[in-house]
Amino acid sequence: MLKARQILVRTIALSVSAAALAGCGQRGPLYLPTDPAAAQRATLPETLNPATPRPPAAPASSPASSPTP
């Protein structure tokens, strides 16, 4: 027979697991934002170490097309 402590630990673990699975992530496909406002957002390394200088933003360019023979 299970002891009260084991039941409590299992119930808490199940509850935490269910909450983590229910609240994880964004719905829908993942994508990299390409709008101009996204260029001004901080990247992960900039967020972790704000003292590092930020490189200049690259100009937006159209997708490269394959050369025609």
Side-chain angles (χ1 to χ4, degrees):
M1 183 174 243
L2 294 176
K3 295 180 182 178
R5 185 175 180 155
Q6 287 177 331
I7 294 172
L8 181 63
V9 169
R10 289 181 183 180
T11 303
I12 291 172
L14 181 63
S15 299
V16 169
S17 299
L21 287 175
C24 67
Q26 172 183 347
R27 293 180 68 161
L30 298 177
Y31 65 95
L32 291 174
T34 57
D35 57 340
Q40 301 302 320
R41 293 185 192 135
T43 61
L44 180 62
E46 292 171 351
T47 304
L48 296 175
N49 189 5
T52 57
R54 186 172 191 175
S61 62
S62 61
S65 60
S66 61
T68 54

